[in-house]
Amino acid sequence: MPALAEQLPRLRLVSDSLLELDYQLRPQAKWDNGQPVLAADIVFTLKLLYCPGLPNERARTEMGFIKDCRTDPADPRHLTLICQGQAPEYQWAASDFPVLPESALDSAHTLRAVSLPELRRGAAASPAVAAFVARYRQANVGRYPAHLPGCGPYRLADWQTNRVLRFERKSEWWADKLSAPPFVLQAHPRQLQFLIIPDATAAALALRRHELDVLPQVPAPLFKQLQQSETRQELAFYTTTSYNVVTVGFNTERPTLRDKYTRRALGQLLDPAALAQATQQVPGLRTASILPPTSPYYNDSLPLPAYNPGQAAALLRRAGWQRQADGHWYRAAQPTPLALDLRYRSDDAMLSTVGLQLQQAAAQLGIAVTLWPTEGTLLAQTLQAGNFDAYVKMTKGSPFVLNFSPLLHSQAIGAGNLTRFSNPASDRLLDAIGVEGRPARKRQLLRQFQRLLRDEAPLVPLFMLPNRLVADRRLRHITPSGLKPGYVAAAMTWAANTAAGR
Amino acid sequence: MKAPRLHPSSGGAAYWALGWLALVAAVGLLAPWLPLPYSATAPDLANIAAPPTWHGPAPHYAGTDPLGRDVLAGLVAGSRQLLLLSLPATALATALGALSGGAAGYWGNHGLRLPGWAGLLGLAAAWWGLRPPLLVGLGVALPLAVLLVRYWRRGWAVPLDGLVLGASTLLGTVPRLLLVLAFAAGPPLGTGWLLVLLVLLAWPDMARLVRTQMRQVRTLPYVEAARAAGLPTGRVWWHHALPAASQPLRAFAPLTLAALIGLESTLAFLGIGYSEATVSWGQLLGELRQAPGAWWLVAGPGTLLLATLVALQSLARRSEV
C-alpha cells in the first residue's frame, strides 16, 4: 500500500491514546482492469482481515491496532487510518499489507453494509458476510492469483508448486507514466524468476553455472566454499546484519513444559557460543534477547545465555523433577520421565547441528530428546497446530517494527504464537509497547519485556543469523538487505535512504 | 542366516568375502563396547567437517562430517545399522518368501481346502474387524452366508497360488525405490517401520523362486513316495518338500541382502525416512553434499559399502545351489 500513496502518511495525535494516519493515494494508480485504486479498496482489504474462514489470522494480529478507517466523500483517494495507541512505527507498520480490488471481489459491495468496527466487534457472523466469504473461497484466488487484477508492475506468468514462480513485466504499468518515480516504483527487469531449490549445494552449483543470478540466505560453510572456489571471480559476495534470530521454542501448553523452570533448564543445555561459531564461523553473533545487541531497545543488563548443565539440573529440581535410579527425571503426577520431541526443518544443516547438540547435552543429564526433521510445509502446519514439544527455527525480525504481539501475545495462539505462551503480564506489556509513543518509555517497556521473556523462557534466543547473499557479477547495483522485499513502508524508507546515500 | 557351503574349487575369494562379512558383523555387534572416543551422534562443534587427525587429546581418526559427527564412530554405527535393519529384513523376507512360495507351489489353487465352518468363522471375524453399518453389513453378509452353508460339506479351496502370485506381481510391478519413497517421504519412519518396508519389498522375488522350484519338487519320486506312505500332507511339505524347494535361496539371500543394503543406503543418502540421530553409511555419504571437498566422507563409508556389496555378490556367485 505505501507505494500507492503519494508519500508516507501524515501523523496526527488524537487525545492521548489514538493516532490518525492520513494517506493520499496517487491519482495514476490503476488496477489491471483499468479501474482506479481507491480508498474503498483499502477499506475493503482491512475488512477482509476480520472475515471468518479466510486465511487472515496472522495479518489480523499484525494489523489489530487499526481501529477504524475513514474515507473522504469529497476525495475517493483520501483515506485516514485510526490506530489504537500512538507508536511512531505505525507510520511504517500500518500500511504493511497488500491491497485487493473491491470491484473484482465484491462488485455488489456486500461488505460496505458492515463497518470495520462492527466487523472487529464480531458482526462477522452476519449472512451477508458469510455469503461474501463463500464467494471469495469459491474464487480460489490463493491458487489462481492471475484471475485477480493487480496494480503492481509484474504479472504471474508461471507457478509450479515447489519448483518455480515466474513473473513477467507488464507492458503498460501506471507508474511508468510518473515523471520521477521513487525507487520502489521502478521495475526494470523484464522477467523475475524464483527457482525453488531445496538443496543449498545444488543451488550454489546452479549459481556457478550461471543458471541463477542471485542466491540469498546462503549457509555459512557454503558461502566460504564459494569464496574459495575457482569461480569466485565471477561472483559477488555480500554479508549484512539482520534482525533474524535462531531460537528454540517450547510448547508451553505441554504439561512437562508448562512451568518456566523446566523451560529455563532445557535452555541451559543449549550452547549458543559453540553453535554460533560452528555453524556461522564468525564470533560475536550472540544475543540475550530476540532483539540484536545493536538495537537501541536491547536490554544489555541481561547475561548472554550459556551452556550450564549444573544450573540446568538445579532448575529441574526447583521445578519438582527428581532424578531416579534409572537416570531419568520424574515428577509427582507425571508417570513418564522428562523427554522432548524437537522439530526443525529437515533441509537445514544448521538446525540439525542445534538439534544434535541439545540431544547430546540432554542425554548426559538423563533427558531423551528425539529429533524430528520435518519438511517445511508440514513443519509449519505442525507447529501452528501445537503438535510438538520444542522446535528450533529462525525467527524473523525487522528494525522498524517492535511489535512482538504476533509472536508472543495470547491472542496470536494458533497463528504466529507457536509456543502458545500466554501470560497476563506479558500481554499487558505487549499491549503497552504496541501503543506507546514516547521513545524513552517504549525503551523501558521493551527492556522489561525482554527480562520477562528471559524469566519465562518460552523462547530461547541462540544467535543472530547474518544475511549472506551471493550474486553473479554481471548484475550491477545490488544493495542487499535483510528486510522483507516488497512495497512495505520500511523497505521504501530503507531504499530511499540507500539510494540517497549512493 | 545359515552360512552357505562352498565348493572346494571356489578359491580364496569366498573365504575373504566371508571373513570381511564376519568382521563387519563383529564390529556391528560389539559397537556399544568399542573404545571409541566419540559417540556417533554427538557433534564436536569445534571440528565441523574436519579432515582426519591423529594428534591431540581426542583425535578424529576418520575426520568429521558437516554436522561435527565423528566419521569413525559413524562407520561403526553404520555396521550396527546393517545388522539391525538389512540383515533382519533379509532373514524375514527369506522366511516369508519360502513359506508363501513353498505353500503356493505345493498346494496350488485347489490343493488346500478349509472346512465349511472356517468360512463362517472368517465372515464373523471380518464383521468384528470392520464393524459395518447394520444394513450394509447384512446386505453383504447374508448372501455370503447362504453360499457358505451351500458349500458346508465340500469345504473351501484356498487359492494360495493365485493369492501369492497376485501379491508378488502387484508389488513387483511398482519400482522399488518409488514405493519406498512414497512410504518414507514423510517424517522419519524409525527402524521398525523401515524393516517392515524392506521386508515387503524383498519377499516377492523369494516367493516366486521357491514356488517355481516347489512345482518341480512336489512331483519328485521321494515326495510322491512319502505321500503314498500315508504321511500327513503338512509333514511331507515341511520336512521333505520345503527344504529342497528352498535350495535356491542360499544363493539368492546374499543377493537380496546386497540389494537391501543398497536400497537402505540410497534412502539414507537422500535423507528420506531418517533423522540425524540414526547414522548409516549412506547417510555419511549423503553429507558430502554439504561439504563437497571432504574426501574422507567418501573414502570411509564408500569403501565399506563397496567391500560389503562385493563380498555378498562373491558369496552368492560361489554358493552351492
Side-chain angles (χ1 to χ4, degrees), chain A residues 197-206 215 217-219 222 226 347, chain B residues 289-290:
Chain A
I197 308 175
D199 187 81
T201 314
L205 191 64
L215 182 59
Q217 295 178 348
V218 186
L222 193 60
L226 284 170
D347 52 4
Chain B
R289 282 173 298 182
Q290 309 280 346

Side-chain angles (χ1 to χ4, degrees), chain B:
Chain B
M1 192 172 59
K2 192 176 174 182
R5 281 188 292 135
L6 304 173
H7 277 303
S9 60
S10 55
Y15 290 105
W16 276 109
L18 263 183
W20 171 256
L21 293 174
L23 179 69
V24 170
V27 169
L29 272 176
L30 300 173
W33 298 281
L34 290 178
L36 294 170
Y38 295 96
S39 136
T41 53
D44 179 357
L45 297 178
N47 291 292
I48 297 281
T53 49
W54 292 79
H55 315 291
H60 293 281
Y61 298 113
T64 62
D65 74 356
L67 301 178
R69 298 178 299 185
D70 186 61
V71 172
L72 181 62
L75 294 178
V76 172
S79 307
R80 191 164 178 79
Q81 179 74 358
L82 200 131
L83 281 191
L84 291 176
L85 186 62
S86 305
L87 195 62
T90 308
L92 285 174
T94 307
L96 186 64
L99 290 175
S100 59
Y106 190 80
W107 281 291
N109 280 331
H110 304 287
L112 188 67
R113 297 190 81 82
L114 292 178
W117 54 262
L120 274 182
L121 200 67
L123 195 62
W127 184 289
W128 184 80
L130 296 172
R131 293 186 180 86
L134 187 66
L135 283 179
V136 178
L138 284 178
V140 176
L142 278 179
L144 278 177
V146 170
L147 273 176
L148 284 175
V149 171
R150 196 173 162 194
Y151 284 92
W152 187 270
R153 286 192 176 178
R154 289 171 56 190
W156 289 90
V158 183
L160 265 179
D161 204 27
L163 285 173
V164 170
L165 272 184
S168 66
T169 308
L170 187 73
L171 286 168
T173 48
V174 185
R176 282 182 175 184
L177 192 58
L178 277 187
L179 199 64
V180 176
L181 286 178
F183 275 102
L189 285 177
T191 307
W193 281 109
L194 266 179
L195 182 73
V196 170
L197 202 57
L198 294 182
V199 171
L200 196 71
L201 289 173
W203 79 269
D205 288 344
M206 305 268 202
R208 273 201 293 264
L209 199 68
V210 175
R211 174 192 168 273
T212 310
Q213 190 72 8
M214 181 61 93
R215 291 188 68 84
Q216 293 173 4
V217 168
R218 67 196 285 260
T219 58
L220 291 179
Y222 79 95
V223 178
E224 296 279 3
R227 274 205 294 260
L231 288 178
T233 314
R235 193 172 162 192
V236 175
W237 178 73
W238 179 254
H239 283 289
H240 302 287
L242 194 59
S246 302
Q247 285 291 327
L249 294 185
R250 286 187 171 184
F252 200 67
L255 288 176
T256 304
L257 179 58
L260 289 187
I261 291 172
L263 188 61
E264 184 266 327
S265 299
T266 308
L267 282 180
F269 178 84
L270 295 172
I272 293 165
Y274 273 84
S275 88
E276 287 77 10
T278 314
V279 185
S280 75
W281 296 344
Q283 202 188 38
L284 284 174
L285 278 171
E287 293 297 336
L288 192 70
R289 282 173 298 182
Q290 309 280 346
W295 56 265
W296 54 94
L297 288 176
V298 182
T303 309
L304 261 60
L305 194 59
L306 188 69
T308 306
L309 295 184
V310 168
L312 286 166
Q313 294 276 355
S314 165
L315 209 62
R317 203 167 46 243
R318 292 172 184 273
S319 290
E320 188 179 68
V321 178

Side-chain angles (χ1 to χ4, degrees), chain A residues 64-81:
Chain A
F65 59 86
I66 301 176
K67 274 187 69 179
D68 200 0
C69 193
R70 199 167 57 231
T71 52
D72 185 349
D75 183 356
R77 292 188 174 83
H78 183 213
L79 171 83
T80 306
L81 297 183

